[in-house]
Amino acid sequence: MKIQQKIAIGFIRTKINMLRMISHRKAAEETLRVFLTPMMKSRIKEKEVFSRAEPIQFTLNDVLIKGFRCNHPKKHKVLLLHGFSSTCHNFDKYVAPLLEKNYEVLAFDAPAHGSSEGETVNAVEYSMMIKKITEFYGPINGYIAHSFGGIAVCLALEAIPHDAKTKLVLIAPATETSSAVDGAFAMLGIKNEKLRKTFDELVLEKSGRETSWFSVRRAMNNIRASVLWFHDEDDDITPLADAIKVKSDNHSNIKFVFTKGLGHRKIYRDEAVLNAAVKFL
């Protein structure tokens, strides 16, 4: 972790602990705001492949969503979905091999990410974006989703008509939101059961759902797509244990590929993973 990040986390921890002394509700609200706020939005390097693509945009809940379309129009369309504090530009290496298969490629920055507007984003808003993309630019035949994009697309597919011909590639998906919250509390160094309980109550109040509902494992019961799931044994962001639980459910439409030594971010940049994903689609 860089020194600037350590300083920022220390500041956030101090602020939340001070708010907790005043009100657990206020501390929980600030913790939720931090949880939903990307930390690296400004660090965008536009990739050359997208400079040749068609820029497209639409509005979602008064937030401008920006993205790209390559090789339009084609019958077979693939949507690339990035993770938290990331951008569609990080998936540039997937574009060329997909174009070689004569697929149309769509890629967007999620709300509060990259070139899109907004300050915060949650899984529901990201999934709404995916549903709008399907409505405006679909139908979509294939999805490649990393991390936060994984849970968002799974929530979206619960509402989007699809079948076994739909292909879904999940790369280190954020399988359980409860685990993500646990990780956020640990990163911030906050150990307070009452604050965590208030946080979960706030999620329920705002979304109408308990934190545990935002789960790829739960959503998989409603997904009929053919799924290729990559997960690394050394992933320190999205726990392998959560993926293993999904594997234990024995869904016939999911194939798991476990890697070693790639962690959470190198895995989607790995050439073998990329090639396998593109071949699957």
Side-chain angles (χ1 to χ4, degrees), residues 123-124 127 131 150-160 162 168 170 173-179 203 207-225 227 229 241-251 253-254 256:
V124 172
S127 69
K131 286 184 279 188
I151 189 168
V153 71
C154 288
L155 296 179
L157 283 172
E158 289 190 282
I160 296 172
H162 69 284
L168 171 61
L170 296 175
T175 311
E176 302 294 340
T177 298
S178 295
S179 295
V203 170
S207 69
R209 306 281 190 180
E210 294 185 353
T211 305
S212 60
W213 184 87
F214 300 97
S215 159
V216 172
R217 186 183 187 189
R218 180 203 59 75
M220 274 300 165
N221 294 310
N222 302 310
I223 291 175
R224 302 293 171 258
V227 182
W229 184 318
D242 289 344
I244 294 296
K245 290 177 183 177
V246 181
K247 188 175 187 298
S248 70
D249 294 334
N250 294 315
H251 293 283
N253 59 323
I254 308 177
F256 285 87

Side-chain angles (χ1 to χ4, degrees), residues 7 81 191:
I7 293 172
L81 298 161
K191 299 179 180 179

Side-chain angles (χ1 to χ4, degrees), residues 14-49:
T14 299
K15 182 177 181 180
I16 290 172
N17 283 331
M18 290 180 66
L19 286 170
R20 181 169 56 84
M21 297 179 69
I22 300 171
S23 163
H24 277 83
R25 168 78 182 201
K26 291 184 180 297
E29 289 174 344
E30 177 62 16
T31 305
L32 180 60
R33 186 194 66 78
V34 171
F35 183 71
L36 302 179
T37 303
M39 299 183 68
M40 300 175 64
K41 181 177 179 180
S42 62
R43 310 178 90 174
I44 305 302
K45 293 183 179 180
E46 183 170 331
K47 299 300 173 67
E48 194 270 338
V49 69

Side-chain angles (χ1 to χ4, degrees), residues 189-201:
I190 300 174
K191 299 179 180 179
N192 186 285
E193 292 184 7
K194 186 175 181 180
L195 177 56
R196 175 55 193 272
K197 182 180 179 181
T198 306
F199 180 97
D200 287 334
E201 290 171 349

